[in-house]
Amino acid sequence: MSMLKPQPFVRTAQHIRTACTNSLNSVHHATGSTMPQVDQAKLTLLNMRFCPYAQRTVLCLNAKHIDYEVINCALMTKPEWLWDLNPIGKVPVILHQGNILY
């Protein structure tokens, strides 16, 4: 009957992600804006805050505890440099060590 004994619950430290929780007032780059400086060593996510596809990417990165930076883009008035990174002009786009995934 030792199988049925309740096991003590052990709580471990959790990684709390704050970089993806941009406020509603966060900057969304639009047409005419220059591309922000990107650190090639870090994973960078091009995102639109309310895009469900980009939110899936954020959820996966958070679940795997991967550290990343976020650059938000306005999709109604897309910045020109978004077209250079993704010929489809959509998000999410991941930049890491010179590689571009879209």
Side-chain angles (χ1 to χ4, degrees):
M1 287 307 219
S2 64
M3 273 190 344
L4 300 177
K5 283 186 178 178
Q7 298 296 322
F9 180 72
V10 178
R11 182 169 272 192
T12 61
Q14 288 184 324
H15 177 74
I16 299 173
R17 180 75 193 159
T18 58
C20 69
T21 56
N22 297 327
S23 70
L24 295 176
N25 298 330
S26 63
V27 174
H28 280 68
H29 297 276
T31 305
S33 67
T34 59
M35 183 172 176
Q37 193 68 20
V38 175
D39 184 1
Q40 294 292 327
K42 293 184 180 179
L43 188 135
T44 303
L45 173 68
L46 298 182
N47 187 21
M48 194 283 185
R49 179 148 172 78
F50 301 109
C51 175
Y53 305 107
Q55 289 174 356
R56 287 183 199 169
T57 305
V58 167
L59 288 172
C60 290
L61 292 172
N62 289 345
K64 293 187 173 283
H65 303 290
I66 297 173
D67 192 28
Y68 61 95
E69 295 187 2
V70 176
I71 298 174
N72 289 318
C73 301
L75 295 183
M76 296 298 286
T77 55
K78 298 175 184 171
E80 295 83 6
W81 47 265
L82 179 60
W83 292 99
D84 296 334
L85 297 172
N86 182 356
I88 302 169
K90 295 184 178 183
V91 294
V93 176
I94 294 178
L95 308 171
H96 184 60
Q97 296 180 346
N99 298 314
I100 302 171
L101 301 172
Y102 56 88

